Amino acid sequence: MITILGIESSCDDTSAAVIRDGVILSNVIAGQAVHERYGGVVPELASRAHQQNIIPVVHDALKQAGIARNAVSAVAFTRGPGLLGSLLVGTSFAKGFSSALNVPMIEVNHLQAHVLAHFIKEDENDTHQPEFPFLCLLVSGGNSQIILVKSYDEMAIIGKTIDDAAGEAFDKCAKVMGLGYPGGPVVDRLAKLGNPKRFTFSKPRIDGYDYSFSGLKTSFLYFLRDELKKDPDFIETNKNDLCASLQKTIVDILMDKLYQASVNLKIKEVAVAGGVSANSGLRNAFEEYSRKHGWKIHIPKFAYTTDNAAMVAITGYYKYQKGEFAAPDVAPYARVSI
Ligand code: KG4
């Protein structure tokens, strides 16, 4: 029996989870409301909040899983990429836990963990996992990538954003409309009430599978600036249509490249991961491609879309089986690829 305690603290969510033999036993996430009034994550405040949250969150995760501390086989933690101060809290906690209980530590790459979230089992009979090789669209506040996943530990980024991430495009355009932070979920909610064909915004023309979202952000900003000159209430009166059209543009950009990759590589097993995979427009597009193009799609449960420790624990589970343990002097890293 392999029991992994997972710890995630790379940005502004403190999370702990327990996975036993690939099956989820608990996944506790503490968000940080402190950033809302600043319109973005404030790194120093994030690390302080992690320090306050980490012990109660781990305590709850073990309690909900119904296991004692000494039943843990290894502690897996996010080493990076992320905010250094935030990562230090999770890394230091893992070191303390590992030395106090004399269990190994496993370092986890946050991006790899987002992809492997698809292998978390709800119970022993759960067989919804993707088959290798598959394509994974990883879309979050910091990343937009198309990943070719050949095995649990063999992944290649075949396309990535050359500027903003898809989540940033949602958040920055939402900010311009005064929708608060993070704006992605608000745009999603209002888009359901609007007409996605009402406005058109520019789409990038880039070779290969790479993305770009900074042009869309600028075109959205200039469009609003011009319209506001004519009608100061333009945003208020057209909010739903603006959100629906913006969401459609972002989803179309994401899906076009993913489709090209699927055709060229002849892979119809396609997954989505990361915070933006909660977006209903993107989820609907996946369903549509599944119907139209015979894709076998994998959409994660909401709880595994944003940052969570369950995905760290499942990655730790696979690394444990290969004996890939971290050295006691392991340090977090802010930037790293898969
Ligand atoms: O993976 P994630 O939790 O962490 C970061 O990378 O920071 O992703 C957060 C991002 C934010 O940009 C947020 O606006 C976006 O995911 N997001 C959404 C939705 N839910 C979260 N974007 C569009 N529609 C949503 N429903």
Side-chain angles (χ1 to χ4, degrees), residues 114 140-142 167 170-171 182 184-185 188 274-276 278-279 305-307:
H114 266 303
S140 67
F170 271 110
D171 294 342
D188 191 359
V276 181
N279 183 265
T305 57
T306 48
D307 292 345

Side-chain angles (χ1 to χ4, degrees), residues 239-306:
K239 211 173 251 178
N240 298 343
D241 290 346
L242 282 167
C243 287
S245 305
L246 172 69
Q247 178 166 298
K248 181 178 168 10
T249 311
I250 296 175
V251 170
D252 284 353
I253 294 172
L254 290 172
M255 294 308 287
D256 284 352
K257 291 283 168 116
L258 189 59
Y259 180 63
Q260 277 175 37
S262 144
V263 171
N264 294 344
L265 299 172
K266 299 187 177 55
I267 296 178
K268 290 199 170 188
E269 189 97 15
V270 190
V272 59
V276 181
S277 62
N279 183 265
S280 58
L282 187 58
R283 287 175 173 241
N284 290 341
F286 262 69
E287 304 279 357
E288 187 191 322
Y289 276 63
S290 164
R291 282 191 303 272
K292 272 196 193 156
H293 306 295
W295 280 10
K296 187 161 176 235
I297 55 167
H298 300 275
I299 302 177
K301 271 179 58 173
F302 276 107
Y304 306 144
T305 57
T306 48

